[in-house]
Structure formats: C-alpha cells, structure tokens
Amino acid sequence: MHAPAPRAAAEERAGTPTGELDELTLVVRAQEGDVHAFEVLARRHQEALFRLALRVMGDRGEAEDALQEALLDAWRRIGRFRGDSAFSTWMYRVVTNRCLGMLRRRRPLPVETIETPAPAQDSPERAAERDAGMAALTRAVQGLPDDLRVCWALREIEGLGYAEISAITGAGEDAVRGRIHRARTRLAEEMRAWR
C-alpha cells in the first residue's frame, strides 16, 4: 500500500479536498504559499480570463502568452489581494494590465478570425457569408482603441457590470459607460454593411 502524498494526507486530515474549498479559503491558502490552492483558483477562472485575453489581444497565441504571464503576475502578487473586490475582478484586472502592456510593445494588431463551427443545415453560401461577417466583426473589434476594446469585451463578452469594469480598468463608471457606448457606436458603423 502506498502512503498518501503530503498534500492529499493534509486534505484528508482537514476533511475537504482543495478543489472543493470556497474561493476565500483558497485565496488565503494561496497567500500562505499553497501553490495547489492557486492552481485551483486559476483553473476555476481560466476560461473567462482566456476569453478576455483573446478579445483584447486578437491572436490566440498571444492571448495564451498573456494569460500565462498574467497568472504568473497574479501568483507573485497574491499577497497584495485584499478582498476589496471579488477575486475574479482582481484577476480580470491582472489579465487586462498584462494584455495592455503587451499591446503597447507591439503594433500593428494581428487579426484572427473567430472560430465558430457552421451548423449542419447551413448552405455553403450562407456559411461563407457568416464567416465573412465574423471576420469583419473581428477586424472591427481589433480596430477599436485598446481602452474601448477592453471595456467592450468585459461588458459584452464577459457580461460584467459597470462597477466591476471600473474596478478592473481603474476608470470611473461614467468613463466606462462612455467607452462602451463609443465602442458600440463604432462597431455599429463598421458593421452597417453586414446588417
């Protein structure tokens, strides 16, 4: 019979596996240096954080790099998280800051098409039209200034409220509302031909 791993043994003594702990407990454990607790937190939020990074960066490879760097940043700075906002809000801010930093270091922005599988009942013409429309939308989103694109993605893709977006971006709620409005207006103008 094998002896349980130290972490598993500690979890058995505690009565709750790390993956089943609530977020606050995981944050506290991560702040105490528990890498496994941080890994659980990262896995819980990884999908949403990647969607944000992909929308901001516009390139799958760069989004993956940005997310990895952001997770490293978060691990290094986990002790600075004070719980003034939700952990997810803090992580969105870390990812946003990493993405914006990467964008400042490079130009022009590459455009990656959004991969959406065509429903089986679509004709080839309809599928081609939809793909072209999605490519046009991707280009339009990537053409937005960084601050507008970040606010738009957090609102329209992630469904966050204005207060959360304000906390993530560091801009006031009125500025966030204005950025989202300007982004929507620009996108509507760009996509007018696709209506």
Side-chain angles (χ1 to χ4, degrees):
M1 179 173 213
H2 295 21
R7 180 175 37 224
E11 289 173 357
E12 285 176 19
R13 286 193 300 275
T16 306
T18 306
E20 296 176 17
L21 294 174
D22 65 277
E23 196 160 89
L24 180 59
T25 302
L26 289 168
V27 168
V28 170
R29 283 189 175 187
Q31 288 175 326
E32 293 171 348
D34 185 343
V35 175
H36 182 65
F38 184 79
E39 289 171 354
V40 171
L41 286 167
R43 276 194 304 276
R44 284 184 184 177
H45 297 283
Q46 184 173 354
E47 188 176 314
L49 296 172
F50 179 72
R51 279 193 312 265
L52 172 62
L54 182 58
R55 291 291 180 255
V56 174
M57 299 306 294
D59 177 82
R60 182 172 286 291
E62 288 189 351
E64 289 169 355
D65 292 346
L67 180 57
Q68 288 300 321
E69 291 295 321
L71 290 173
L72 288 172
D73 291 344
W75 171 245
R76 288 184 203 113
R77 296 181 182 139
I78 190 73
R80 296 181 193 164
F81 176 70
R82 298 287 172 235
D84 298 332
S85 61
F87 179 76
S88 60
T89 301
W90 184 76
M91 284 300 304
Y92 277 125
R93 184 173 190 133
V94 172
V95 171
T96 298
N97 288 340
R98 174 53 69 175
C99 289
L100 291 175
M102 290 174 73
L103 286 174
R104 281 185 215 104
R105 289 189 293 273
R106 71 142 166 94
R107 292 285 183 224
L109 295 172
V111 175
E112 178 180 290
T113 59
I114 300 171
E115 297 175 19
T116 53
Q121 67 270 18
D122 274 358
S123 69
E125 295 84 15
R126 177 70 185 128
E129 182 180 319
R130 188 190 59 250
D131 290 347
M134 290 304 294
L137 177 60
T138 300
R139 283 189 302 276
V141 168
Q142 289 306 307
L144 292 172
D146 297 342
D147 58 340
L148 301 186
R149 186 171 58 252
V150 166
C151 290
W152 180 87
L154 288 169
R155 178 72 177 165
E156 301 298 333
I157 307 300
E158 297 305 318
L160 299 182
Y162 296 114
E164 285 179 290
I165 297 169
S166 176
I168 291 165
T169 62
E173 282 188 54
D174 288 340
V176 166
R177 288 178 198 279
R179 290 174 185 177
I180 293 168
H181 174 74
R182 287 192 307 279
R184 287 174 178 162
T185 301
R186 287 186 185 192
L187 292 174
E189 289 170 9
E190 291 284 326
M191 298 305 292
R192 187 170 295 147
W194 292 95
R195 289 184 190 161

Coordinates of all heavy atoms in Angstrom, one line a residue, residues 55 111-112 114 130-144 152 157 187-188 190-191 194:
R55 N -10.0 38.4 -26.8 CA -10.6 39.6 -27.3 C -9.7 40.8 -27.3 O -9.7 41.6 -28.3 CB -11.9 39.9 -26.5 CG -13.0 38.9 -26.7 CD -13.6 38.9 -28.1 NE -14.6 38.0 -28.2 CZ -14.5 36.8 -28.9 NH1 -13.4 36.5 -29.4 NH2 -15.5 36.0 -28.9
V111 N -5.1 40.2 -36.9 CA -6.5 39.9 -36.8 C -6.6 38.4 -36.9 O -6.1 37.8 -37.9 CB -7.3 40.6 -37.9 CG1 -8.7 40.2 -37.9 CG2 -7.1 42.1 -37.7
E112 N -7.3 37.8 -36.0 CA -7.5 36.3 -36.0 C -9.0 36.2 -36.2 O -9.8 36.8 -35.5 CB -7.0 35.7 -34.7 CG -7.3 34.2 -34.7 CD -6.8 33.6 -33.4 OE1 -5.6 33.5 -33.3 OE2 -7.7 33.1 -32.7
I114 N -12.6 34.6 -35.7 CA -13.3 33.8 -34.6 C -13.7 32.5 -35.2 O -14.4 32.4 -36.2 CB -14.4 34.6 -34.1 CG1 -13.9 36.0 -33.6 CG2 -15.2 33.9 -33.0 CD1 -15.1 36.9 -33.2
R130 N -21.6 34.1 -43.3 CA -21.5 34.2 -41.9 C -20.0 34.3 -41.5 O -19.6 35.2 -40.7 CB -22.1 33.0 -41.2 CG -22.2 33.2 -39.7 CD -22.6 32.0 -38.9 NE -21.7 30.9 -39.1 CZ -22.0 29.8 -39.8 NH1 -23.2 29.6 -40.3 NH2 -21.1 28.9 -40.0
D131 N -19.1 33.5 -42.1 CA -17.7 33.5 -41.8 C -17.1 34.9 -42.1 O -16.3 35.4 -41.4 CB -17.0 32.4 -42.5 CG -17.3 31.0 -42.0 OD1 -17.9 31.0 -40.9 OD2 -17.0 30.0 -42.6
A132 N -17.5 35.4 -43.3 CA -17.0 36.8 -43.7 C -17.5 37.8 -42.7 O -16.8 38.8 -42.4 CB -17.5 37.1 -45.1
G133 N -18.7 37.7 -42.3 CA -19.3 38.7 -41.3 C -18.5 38.6 -40.0 O -18.2 39.6 -39.4
M134 N -18.2 37.4 -39.5 CA -17.5 37.2 -38.3 C -16.0 37.8 -38.4 O -15.5 38.4 -37.5 CB -17.4 35.7 -37.9 CG -18.8 35.2 -37.4 SD -19.5 36.1 -36.0 CE -18.3 35.8 -34.7
A135 N -15.4 37.6 -39.6 CA -14.1 38.1 -39.8 C -14.2 39.6 -39.8 O -13.3 40.3 -39.3 CB -13.6 37.6 -41.1
A136 N -15.2 40.2 -40.4 CA -15.4 41.7 -40.4 C -15.6 42.2 -39.0 O -15.0 43.2 -38.6 CB -16.6 42.1 -41.3
L137 N -16.4 41.5 -38.2 CA -16.5 41.9 -36.8 C -15.2 41.8 -36.0 O -14.9 42.7 -35.2 CB -17.6 41.0 -36.1 CG -17.9 41.3 -34.6 CD1 -18.3 42.7 -34.4 CD2 -18.9 40.3 -34.1
T138 N -14.5 40.7 -36.2 CA -13.2 40.6 -35.5 C -12.3 41.8 -35.9 O -11.6 42.3 -35.0 CB -12.5 39.3 -35.9 OG1 -13.4 38.2 -35.5 CG2 -11.2 39.1 -35.2
R139 N -12.2 42.1 -37.2 CA -11.4 43.2 -37.6 C -11.9 44.5 -37.0 O -11.1 45.4 -36.5 CB -11.4 43.4 -39.1 CG -10.5 42.4 -39.8 CD -10.3 42.7 -41.3 NE -11.6 42.7 -42.0 CZ -12.2 41.6 -42.5 NH1 -11.7 40.4 -42.4 NH2 -13.4 41.8 -43.2
A140 N -13.2 44.7 -36.9 CA -13.8 45.9 -36.3 C -13.4 46.0 -34.8 O -13.0 47.1 -34.3 CB -15.3 46.0 -36.5
V141 N -13.5 44.9 -34.1 CA -13.2 44.9 -32.7 C -11.7 45.2 -32.5 O -11.3 46.0 -31.6 CB -13.6 43.6 -32.0 CG1 -13.0 43.4 -30.6 CG2 -15.1 43.4 -32.0
Q142 N -10.9 44.6 -33.3 CA -9.4 44.8 -33.2 C -9.1 46.3 -33.6 O -8.0 46.8 -33.2 CB -8.7 43.8 -34.0 CG -8.7 42.4 -33.5 CD -8.2 42.4 -32.0 OE1 -7.2 42.9 -31.7 NE2 -9.1 41.8 -31.2
G143 N -9.9 46.9 -34.4 CA -9.6 48.3 -34.8 C -10.0 49.3 -33.7 O -9.6 50.5 -33.8
L144 N -10.7 48.9 -32.7 CA -11.0 49.8 -31.6 C -9.8 50.2 -30.8 O -8.9 49.3 -30.6 CB -12.0 49.1 -30.6 CG -13.4 48.8 -31.1 CD1 -14.2 48.0 -30.1 CD2 -14.2 50.1 -31.4
W152 N -15.4 47.1 -23.8 CA -16.5 46.4 -24.6 C -16.4 44.9 -24.3 O -17.5 44.3 -24.1 CB -16.3 46.7 -26.1 CG -17.3 46.0 -27.0 CD1 -18.5 46.5 -27.3 CD2 -17.1 44.8 -27.6 NE1 -19.1 45.6 -28.1 CE2 -18.3 44.5 -28.3 CE3 -16.1 43.8 -27.6 CZ2 -18.5 43.3 -29.1 CZ3 -16.3 42.6 -28.4 CH2 -17.5 42.4 -29.1
I157 N -18.8 40.5 -23.8 CA -18.3 39.1 -23.8 C -18.4 38.4 -22.4 O -18.9 37.3 -22.3 CB -16.9 39.0 -24.3 CG1 -16.7 39.7 -25.7 CG2 -16.5 37.5 -24.4 CD1 -17.6 39.1 -26.8
L187 N -18.6 50.0 -33.7 CA -18.8 48.7 -34.2 C -20.1 48.7 -35.1 O -20.1 48.1 -36.1 CB -18.9 47.7 -33.1 CG -17.6 47.4 -32.3 CD1 -17.9 46.4 -31.2 CD2 -16.6 46.8 -33.3
A188 N -21.1 49.4 -34.6 CA -22.3 49.5 -35.4 C -22.0 50.2 -36.8 O -22.6 49.7 -37.8 CB -23.4 50.3 -34.7
E190 N -19.1 50.2 -38.4 CA -18.3 49.3 -39.1 C -19.1 48.1 -39.7 O -18.8 47.6 -40.8 CB -17.1 48.8 -38.3 CG -16.1 49.8 -37.9 CD -15.2 50.1 -39.0 OE1 -14.9 49.2 -39.8 OE2 -14.7 51.2 -39.1
M191 N -20.1 47.7 -39.0 CA -20.8 46.5 -39.4 C -22.1 46.8 -40.1 O -22.9 45.9 -40.4 CB -21.1 45.7 -38.1 CG -19.9 45.1 -37.4 SD -18.8 44.2 -38.5 CE -19.8 42.8 -38.8
W194 N -23.2 44.7 -43.0 CA -23.5 43.3 -42.7 C -24.9 43.1 -42.1 O -25.2 42.0 -41.8 CB -22.4 42.7 -41.8 CG -21.1 42.7 -42.4 CD1 -20.1 43.6 -42.4 CD2 -20.7 41.6 -43.3 NE1 -19.1 43.2 -43.2 CE2 -19.4 42.0 -43.8 CE3 -21.2 40.4 -43.8 CZ2 -18.6 41.2 -44.6 CZ3 -20.5 39.7 -44.6 CH2 -19.2 40.0 -45.0

